[in-house]
Amino acid sequence: MAYDYAKYLRKGKLPHIWCAGCTYGIVLKSLIRAIDSLQWDKNDVAIVSGIGCASRLPGYVDFNTLHTTHGRSIAFATGVKLANPNLKVLAMGGDGDMTAIGGNHFIHACRRNIDMTVFVFNNNIYGMTGAQYSPTTPKGAWATTSPYGMSENNFTITDLAIGAGATFVARTTAYHVAHCEKTMKEAFQHKGLSVVEIINACPTGFGRKNKFKTPTSMLLWMKDSAVNVEKAKNMSQEELAGKFTIGVLHKIEKPEYIETYDATVGLKK
Amino acid sequence: MAKKVEFMMGNYAVAEGALYAGCKFFGGYPITPSTEIAERMAERLPQVGGRFIQMEDEIAAMASVIGASIAGAKALTATSGPGFSLKQENIGYAMLCEIPCVIVDVMRGGPSTGMPTGPSQSDIMQAKWGTHGDHPVIAVTPASVQEQFDETVRAFNLAEKYRCPVFILTDSIIGQMMEQLVIPEPGELEVIERPMPDCKPEEYLPFDMDKDFVPLAPFGSGYRYHITGLHHASDGFPTNDPVLHTKNTVRLIERLNKNYDDIVKVEEFMTDDAEVLVFAIGVTARSAKHAVVEARNQGIKAGLVRPLTIWPFPEKHLEKLLSKNTVKGIVVPEMNLGQMTFEVQRVAKGRCGVEGLYSLMLDPILPGEILEKIRRFV
Ligand SMILES: Cc1ncc(C[n+]2csc(CCOP(=O)(O)OP(=O)(O)O)c2C)c(N)n1
Ligand code: SF4
């Protein structure tokens, strides 16, 4: 079915800066479909990003868009939301942006449970600066700053979010486009802070030197490695080795920050 | 009706001034000797329909303030030396993106964690050059509890009028002393509100380079646009064009230069016939005033130049006094090792002697020490 993406795109700002084979464009389309399916007024949506290839996304979509400093999107978004809780706020960025330089903001946002959504575009590498390792680069993987192989341990972003107190945590991939759209939509509808890790491919920075010769091979890796959480429940550790789960990994109800604050301090709205 | 008079701490007076100016958001991170501002705002903001948040660090605090301003709220943060350093990257963002907000720096001894409880005036240059790149700066310098209030209101007004971050540079003596504060009636002091654009949303150019001032439409108001910390064109989208980058940077600097008379406030005391000037801000200016009075008692023609705005530097004011060719020397007492003195020398261009009087001793510089320096010029 033909879909009218143009309604949400800033056509004058295209073409985008992303490399051929980068999956950010695919995710962008999922995002547009997710927002469209919720029938949100464009004026009510604020998308806040940090710095990195992923963080260039807001420039292409016709909402209130804020491209901030490296790692700080969540902190900017917090101010936006507190000043105008009517806005639907999405903070987004790459794995480096969100979990290295922005790691502190990320965990505290999970703890606070402000009603907004955080997307982490995880391509396991710093794309924009040319393939340096990130906190999610797997052990042994090549990066320009790990030319002998990554020696640090890596974060599992979703575990980090759950540990820090996030009330909605999900994972999806750029390959699973319908799932990606559905997961985004669910995250948007959750009251409180929702975190979605979106597995992405950076063929230029990560794939090329890490045994993924083509962009397609990275998408096939996502296809083959992703196991739905429901299905994973009936699988053994051996069967799950080398795979990752997708779907809603964690969902609980907890009082939302602004409502709690306003009630605590006696703010009448 | 009798005026409301309070006996209040300087840091609280900043908070009260902010509320008078219509501040609705505070994002902060505690640091001595600024913390009382955050504490007061935490208590008072909800009473006026605003929100307070203690962020996880100063970087986040500054970011939240910018975010809140973009969403339409007048926003404040307060910090001291090390926290001011942490805020700098996002302060640069606010400079480039023309985000009105107010940042209080209650100066303490540095560098690094330095002297947490010691007063200082050592962030004068950090305020000017702390973030990278060329940009103009407005910094106000109150010297009493009353001025902590009044100058905070003025700082918010300047922020809105010139669409930029404004600093309040104060120190732990003024910040933590108790003095009388006469709280002005609503309407008594001017309060500038943020204007809304009057063009159609599709015609809105949030960073129009051909205009001095464009209203900042709050997110959610129906004006959808893009903000980026990259150099941008009039529509807010990134550009690598060095010509546009130059044009916009010069525009921002000129916007303040052109309005020097509105921004730069200086109190002059007995300067008309002065042969020796003392140039001092904040707590040091209080000692300097005593020194000038004592010098006059002794028949020395001394005068005080007390900037309430240190950035833009009050050069026109100094120039006017120096052009009379009657000034033999300028004494610059400051609680650092000469940051302001260099600027005074720059303006004096050798036309008279300029002598700094520096102290890192954590006590205010005393009138007697200043008087001694004044005497050297006669
Ligand atoms: C304070 C600061 N430090 C470093 C940089 C340089 N930098 C730009 S993007 C980036 C990392 C990008 O990686 P990631 O966040 O994973 O996003 P991707 O480009 O892969 O989408 C870095 C280190 C910066 N812009 N600002
Ligand atoms: S460098 Fe990697 S993440 Fe960046 S646009 Fe290219 S493929 Fe995408």
Side-chain angles (χ1 to χ4, degrees):
Chain A
M1 189 183 80
Y3 187 90
D4 183 19
Y5 294 100
K7 188 176 149 199
Y8 292 94
L9 288 171
R10 289 168 167 155
K11 278 172 285 178
K13 303 303 159 192
L14 296 169
H16 56 67
I17 61 152
W18 297 316
C19 307
C22 180
T23 52
Y24 287 163
I26 302 175
V27 174
L28 167 63
K29 291 174 86 174
S30 298
L31 172 67
I32 289 176
R33 291 194 305 273
I35 292 181
D36 185 79
S37 72
L38 291 167
Q39 288 294 302
W40 280 350
D41 186 328
K42 290 198 266 185
N43 289 319
D44 295 342
V45 180
I47 306 188
V48 189
S49 68
I51 297 289
C53 298
S55 290
R56 288 300 189 92
L57 184 150
Y60 306 123
V61 283
D62 184 23
F63 300 105
N64 302 285
T65 53
L66 185 57
H67 179 231
T68 71
T69 45
H70 190 31
R72 315 302 172 195
S73 61
I74 292 176
F76 276 75
T78 299
V80 169
K81 184 74 184 177
L82 260 61
N84 183 356
N86 296 326
L87 286 168
K88 304 185 189 312
V89 180
L90 165 65
M92 51 145 295
D95 45 292
D97 187 78
M98 282 289 182
T99 68
I101 193 165
N104 202 26
H105 313 310
F106 182 78
I107 57 176
H108 288 281
C110 293
R111 171 178 71 81
R112 287 193 187 106
N113 201 33
I114 299 180
D115 187 26
M116 55 189 197
T117 301
V118 174
F119 286 174
V120 187
F121 287 56
N122 185 3
N123 57 13
N124 299 111
I125 200 90
Y126 286 10
M128 178 156 272
T129 39
Q132 296 76 33
Y133 67 76
S134 93
T136 59
T137 302
K139 262 260 172 72
W142 176 92
T144 57
T145 45
S146 64
Y148 304 103
M150 174 67 164
S151 50
E152 294 182 21
N153 299 319
N154 61 311
F155 274 143
T156 303
I157 292 170
T158 48
D159 287 353
L160 180 67
I162 295 167
T167 50
F168 179 102
V169 180
R171 190 188 289 118
T172 182
T173 88
Y175 172 82
H176 299 84
V177 285
H179 184 264
C180 186
E181 174 190 333
K182 179 173 151 269
T183 310
M184 287 174 165
K185 191 174 163 183
E186 271 186 76
F188 288 142
Q189 287 171 309
H190 175 75
K191 180 93 179 172
L193 190 93
S194 46
V195 175
V196 183
E197 177 187 9
I198 308 159
I199 305 293
N200 270 281
C202 171
T204 323
F206 187 83
R208 202 166 45 95
K209 293 273 208 166
N210 283 298
K211 303 196 185 88
F212 294 103
K213 281 255 154 31
T214 61
T216 319
S217 63
M218 299 206 71
L219 286 165
L220 290 174
W221 165 75
M222 289 178 207
K223 173 177 182 262
D224 296 339
S225 313
V227 181
N228 193 287
V229 266
E230 294 309 321
K231 193 175 163 205
K233 282 181 187 156
N234 301 317
M235 286 167 70
S236 68
Q237 285 300 325
E238 292 80 61
E239 286 171 311
L240 284 170
K243 305 210 182 290
F244 58 82
T245 49
I246 59 171
V248 178
L249 309 180
H250 179 74
K251 185 169 161 59
I252 55 168
E253 298 296 324
K254 257 196 209 168
E256 191 275 330
Y257 171 91
I258 297 180
E259 285 182 2
T260 309
Y261 176 86
D262 287 2
T264 310
V265 301
L267 245 185
K268 294 268 177 299
K269 275 270 100 192
Chain B
M1 204 171 79
K3 280 248 182 221
K4 204 170 161 210
V5 180
E6 301 225 15
F7 187 56
M8 194 182 276
M9 183 195 259
N11 279 341
Y12 284 1
V14 167
E16 292 303 320
L19 298 174
Y20 186 96
C23 175
K24 285 282 164 8
F25 180 83
F26 184 100
Y29 191 81
I31 182 169
T32 305
S34 73
T35 308
E36 295 85 5
I37 301 175
E39 290 169 346
R40 184 83 172 189
M41 290 305 272
E43 188 179 340
R44 294 278 284 122
L45 265 175
Q47 298 169 359
V48 299
R51 292 191 178 90
F52 167 93
I53 188 166
Q54 181 172 309
M55 295 298 285
E56 50 275 12
D57 57 33
E58 284 87 350
I59 301 172
M62 190 62 223
S64 71
V65 160
I66 297 172
S69 181
I70 289 168
K74 288 189 180 179
L76 176 74
T77 188
T79 190
S80 295
F84 197 35
S85 301
L86 281 177
K87 288 182 192 295
Q88 291 294 346
E89 189 200 16
N90 284 335
I91 288 173
Y93 185 95
M95 298 277 180
L96 180 70
C97 298
E98 304 173 54
I99 311 298
C101 55
V102 176
I103 301 139
V104 191
D105 174 23
V106 187
M107 291 184 281
R108 68 187 230 182
S112 191
T113 305
M115 285 286 189
T117 53
S120 156
Q121 296 179 321
S122 59
D123 297 347
I124 293 172
M125 284 300 167
Q126 184 179 199
K128 176 81 175 112
W129 298 117
T131 187
H132 55 291
D134 295 288
H135 56 80
V137 167
I138 301 180
V140 304
T141 50
S144 66
V145 171
Q146 186 68 50
E147 282 183 0
Q148 294 270 97
F149 186 101
D150 298 345
E151 288 302 293
T152 301
V153 177
R154 193 166 77 93
F156 272 97
N157 286 343
L158 290 170
E160 296 300 337
K161 205 163 168 185
Y162 299 107
R163 213 184 126 175
C164 62
V166 173
F167 300 133
I168 299 174
L169 280 188
T170 180
D171 64 80
S172 58
I173 300 179
I174 306 289
Q176 295 185 320
M177 66 163 57
M178 305 270 291
E179 269 184 341
Q180 175 178 289
L181 172 68
V182 181
I183 301 197
E185 300 287 335
E188 200 176 323
L189 298 184
E190 183 190 24
V191 169
I192 296 178
E193 299 303 344
R194 192 174 302 180
M196 273 292 283
D198 49 17
C199 63
K200 290 193 198 115
E202 55 277 19
E203 286 161 7
Y204 181 55
L205 291 175
F207 303 92
D208 194 341
M209 279 185 211
D210 298 315
K211 292 204 180 115
D212 278 349
F213 183 85
V214 185
L216 178 69
F219 273 18
S221 64
Y223 289 81
R224 287 192 308 279
Y225 58 101
H226 187 56
I227 307 184
T228 175
L230 290 161
H231 273 285
H232 41 255
S234 296
D235 60 1
F237 289 92
T239 171
N240 284 326
D241 182 344
V243 176
L244 289 186
H245 154 197
T246 309
K247 181 175 172 182
N248 195 38
T249 308
V250 171
R251 160 182 167 260
L252 295 180
I253 294 173
E254 282 308 308
R255 174 154 80 196
L256 295 197
N257 285 349
K258 276 192 273 187
N259 290 289
Y260 176 99
D261 293 332
D262 184 46
I263 300 167
V264 181
K265 190 167 148 193
V266 176
E267 184 196 85
E268 292 188 27
F269 175 68
M270 307 196 113
T271 53
D272 279 352
D273 61 341
E275 290 174 358
V276 185
L277 295 175
V278 186
F279 186 97
I281 60 164
V283 65
T284 314
R286 295 168 71 124
S287 293
K289 200 164 196 173
H290 284 280
V292 165
V293 170
E294 187 50 34
R296 288 273 170 180
N297 288 341
Q298 298 179 12
I300 301 167
K301 287 183 176 168
L304 173 68
V305 181
R306 182 172 81 86
L308 281 104
T309 317
I310 191 67
W311 301 117
F313 196 72
E315 32 190 292
K316 263 209 225 170
H317 287 78
L318 265 183
E319 193 59 47
K320 202 179 89 224
L321 293 167
L322 288 169
S323 64
K324 290 194 276 190
N325 289 322
T326 47
V327 176
K328 293 180 194 156
I330 308 176
V331 178
V332 189
E334 49 183 328
M335 298 171 76
N336 61 56
L337 295 181
Q339 299 187 19
M340 210 161 59
T341 309
F342 296 139
E343 286 296 298
V344 176
Q345 281 167 342
R346 180 177 65 78
V347 178
K349 295 192 195 76
R351 282 172 289 181
C352 68
V354 176
E355 282 251 6
L357 171 58
Y358 313 138
S359 172
L360 302 180
M361 291 306 289
L362 309 185
D363 286 321
I365 297 174
L366 297 176
E369 301 171 73
I370 299 170
L371 181 60
E372 207 178 293
K373 280 272 181 190
I374 294 174
R375 288 173 149 287
R376 291 204 200 158
F377 282 116
V378 289

